[in-house]
Amino acid sequence: MDVGIVSYGVYIPKYRILPEEIGRVWGKDGAAMGKGLMVEMKSVPGLDEDTVTISVEAARRALKRRPIDPRDIKAIYVGSESHPYAVKPTATIVAEAIQAAPDLTAADLEFACKAGTAGIQALLGLVKAGYIKYGISIGADTSQGAPGNALEYTAAAGGAAYVIGAEGVIAKVNHTVSFTTDTPDFWRREGMKYPSHGERFTGTPAYFKHITGCAKMLMEKAGTTPKDYDYAVFHQPNGKFPVRVAKMLGFEMSQIEKGLWTPKIGNTYSGSMLVGLAAILDEAEPGDRILAVSFGSGAGSDGFDITVTEEMKRYNRSAAPTVKEITSVYKIIDYALYTKFREKIKMEGE
Amino acid sequence: MPVPRYWRYQDQRYNLAGSRCTVCGTVYFPQRPLCPKCHRKSLGKMERVTLSGEGRIISYTVVHDPLSDYEHLSPYIMALIETPEGATLLGQIVDAEPDEVEIGKEVEMVFRKLREEGKSGTIQYGYKFRLKG
Ligand SMILES: [Zn+2]
């Protein structure tokens, strides 16, 4: 039985802020900062947007492309590190908003930036075991960096939803593996607004170790080398890391550029790799093979070896906007409006 | 709006659930137990319909002096929207400046936060609209 992606949808808020503007406020060379991180601009959610609204929009777009009966969706997982409630799931709201409730299971998942891919793995298992017909996994975030912190140049908002099933598979998951360790590279304690990171742990022992470890395990299991893939996509905390990790693994720029979106929208955390994968699926042809590896601090990577199927020809891709179309319409805002949008100012009485 | 009352209107707010009178075919939003045209003949003959979320602006206004719960959104645009199903409804237009909004423009439904009951209360979600294209 072939299991895999049956449909997908992406949502990115319309607003953007430039690194120059963030640097201007903090007396730093923002343009140089953006250049170093390879981030031209980052997305900012509107005042009435959060992880719930982004998740619902992405899921609705996935269902526009593949109008299955929402009552056939028997599981919804939302992976995020910015669920609006500490207690009360995002996934139940999504279930109601796509009319999939009440006959389904739903849960919010948390594993830094890779909870959305952990959800996809769980759904692949449920579908393969015959427990459910379809499931949706969403990776979405409205991430924040503390004002003035380096993370502020990249922390963005957006998300992607993937419908997983065994009927109408447009992209078959041939293999999936994970690489998981206990690494203190990045965390946020309950009740704290902004995350912290262990300077010595970001980069080499975290991102690079887990992604290369996972990708190598995956290619060993699949019996493949980088040359066997038309596309590769990795988690994108900035524009620089995925380019470097691709090179370390032996992938060419031509294999990763279609899925590289952090330079245009910033780091959408749980959405990051999944938005990149969606951009590849927006243009992929039957037979194309894709290697996709996420990363979540704490730390772990989930890897997927994917082949696009003939079903892609019958699939109604144009029923929802592509990543290219979504990101071609935006509005640049200044730091004052950004501060209001991100609620970085305390109002009287708070 | 108190939590229970908001929760009762969830289907309407999340999914644009309206009613169709199966006697005369008229679609209403929000849902109605009886058709005002068919009166008692429509008793038990009203069915739930989900509006498509598409529509056209037939009138709009820019709110500069909102109620305290919505102050942070000021100025915002409220529009009267005619749906292809025939029902009209009132909704906020998001992601647009007042000078971009015009009567006759096509809109589509989006899912947004409507209101937060302070920092510790519930967050209420539902439909708003954005300009198409
Ligand atoms: Zn009637």
Side-chain angles (χ1 to χ4, degrees):
Chain A
M1 176 168 66
D2 284 355
V3 294
I5 299 161
V6 168
S7 192
Y8 67 98
V10 168
Y11 182 81
I12 310 288
K14 190 184 174 184
Y15 303 97
R16 301 283 182 277
I17 189 163
L18 303 175
E20 292 90 306
E21 175 66 6
I22 297 172
R24 183 183 66 81
V25 171
W26 296 105
K28 299 231 172 82
D29 186 348
M33 195 81 167
K35 216 167 186 178
L37 294 163
M38 283 174 65
V39 173
E40 293 165 37
M41 56 178 106
K42 69 161 194 170
S43 65
V44 180
L47 275 163
D48 55 359
E49 295 188 283
D50 63 15
T51 293
V52 167
T53 65
I54 290 170
S55 298
V56 169
E57 289 292 318
R60 284 181 175 171
R61 284 177 173 176
L63 294 176
K64 267 192 182 156
R65 286 183 168 133
R66 171 83 68 188
I68 54 177
D69 185 338
R71 288 168 302 186
D72 286 335
I73 297 160
K74 297 296 186 193
I76 295 180
Y77 297 128
V78 182
S80 180
E81 49 180 272
S82 51
H83 291 291
Y85 287 98
V87 178
K88 189 183 184 305
T90 299
T92 55
I93 306 171
V94 176
E96 290 282 2
I98 60 169
Q99 303 186 65
D103 182 7
L104 84 165
T105 178
D108 287 2
L109 304 181
E110 192 280 316
F111 192 147
C113 298
K114 80 155 194 80
T117 57
I120 290 177
Q121 288 181 325
L123 293 176
L124 290 168
L126 289 170
V127 170
K128 204 158 190 173
Y131 284 121
I132 64 169
K133 188 169 180 186
Y134 300 114
I136 296 188
S137 182
I138 298 164
D141 263 305
T142 54
S143 314
Q144 298 221 45
N149 187 286
L151 286 175
E152 206 186 4
Y153 292 87
T154 53
Y162 284 77
V163 182
I164 304 298
E167 265 176 49
V169 173
I170 55 166
K172 180 191 168 205
V173 176
N174 309 308
H175 301 279
T176 179
V177 298
S178 296
F179 187 98
T180 310
T181 71
D182 179 1
T183 306
D185 57 325
F186 180 91
W187 62 88
R188 181 169 65 83
R189 292 279 299 273
E190 184 74 41
M192 300 301 289
K193 189 162 181 178
Y194 304 114
S196 311
H197 44 109
E199 292 288 354
R200 292 191 308 123
F201 286 99
T202 46
T204 306
Y207 180 88
F208 295 102
K209 174 181 156 183
H210 290 79
I211 290 192
T212 57
C214 184
K216 282 176 186 163
M217 265 168 54
L218 181 63
M219 286 189 278
E220 198 179 305
K221 192 171 178 190
T224 52
T225 66
K227 283 195 287 294
D228 294 311
Y229 295 95
D230 299 280
Y231 304 104
V233 59
F234 305 101
H235 175 57
Q236 303 163 24
N238 49 52
K240 197 172 62 175
F241 278 21
V243 173
R244 199 191 298 166
V245 86
K247 197 176 260 177
M248 285 166 73
L249 284 162
F251 287 92
E252 303 289 329
M253 197 60 199
S254 60
Q255 288 166 293
I256 64 162
E257 60 196 0
K258 269 215 164 63
L260 193 58
W261 283 87
T262 286
K264 297 280 179 209
I265 57 173
N267 178 12
T268 55
Y269 285 56
S270 301
S272 169
M273 189 281 266
L274 293 174
V275 169
L277 177 60
I280 292 170
L281 293 174
D282 283 343
E283 297 182 26
E285 310 262 346
D288 282 350
R289 199 154 179 182
I290 306 162
L291 178 126
V293 184
S294 63
F295 171 73
S297 291
S301 281
D302 299 326
F304 301 86
D305 174 74
I306 298 165
T307 304
V308 177
T309 71
E310 288 293 320
E311 180 66 25
M312 189 60 109
K313 289 183 186 159
R314 290 179 287 273
Y315 177 64
N316 194 3
R317 264 193 283 204
S318 61
T322 62
V323 174
K324 221 174 234 173
E325 286 164 349
I326 295 166
T327 53
S328 67
V329 183
Y330 57 82
K331 189 179 171 205
I332 290 175
I333 58 172
D334 62 13
Y335 200 89
L337 203 55
Y338 166 72
T339 301
K340 182 180 166 187
F341 278 18
R342 298 310 290 128
E343 300 177 61
K344 284 178 198 273
I345 31 174
K346 288 269 179 205
M347 302 293 273
E348 203 180 338
E350 274 185 34
Chain B
M1 187 179 290
V3 174
R5 213 169 105 209
Y6 165 76
W7 182 77
R8 267 204 309 280
Y9 291 112
Q10 207 163 264
D11 193 27
Q12 172 190 322
R13 292 245 160 84
Y14 283 15
N15 297 312
L16 290 178
S19 301
R20 179 192 286 118
C21 168
T22 56
V23 179
C24 71
T26 310
V27 172
Y28 298 96
F29 183 88
Q31 283 177 292
R32 286 174 184 251
L34 275 180
C35 173
K37 291 181 191 162
C38 305
H39 306 286
R40 270 173 41 214
K41 271 192 290 179
S42 65
L43 193 65
K45 301 237 168 86
M46 303 296 285
E47 63 174 19
R48 179 194 178 283
V49 287
T50 306
L51 302 187
S52 60
E54 309 277 309
R56 203 173 57 86
I57 297 173
I58 51 175
S59 174
Y60 72 95
T61 180
V62 181
V63 182
H64 288 280
D65 195 13
L67 298 169
S68 65
D69 277 350
Y70 302 92
E71 251 169 7
H72 62 294
L73 296 174
S74 176
Y76 63 90
I77 305 150
M78 292 299 291
L80 198 59
I81 288 147
E82 181 181 65
T83 66
E85 292 85 1
T88 51
L89 55 115
L90 189 68
Q92 190 189 329
I93 306 290
V94 298
D95 290 354
E97 299 300 320
D99 61 4
E100 296 171 278
V101 179
E102 275 170 46
I103 288 170
K105 276 201 170 170
E106 307 251 314
V107 294
E108 60 188 347
M109 174 189 38
V110 291
F111 192 78
R112 294 290 175 107
K113 273 197 277 193
L114 298 179
R115 193 172 165 272
E116 284 180 59
E117 296 188 300
K119 287 287 163 204
S120 61
T122 59
I123 306 166
Q124 300 172 352
Y125 296 94
Y127 64 83
K128 293 186 182 181
F129 293 88
R130 86 175 138 230
L131 300 176
K132 266 186 107 167

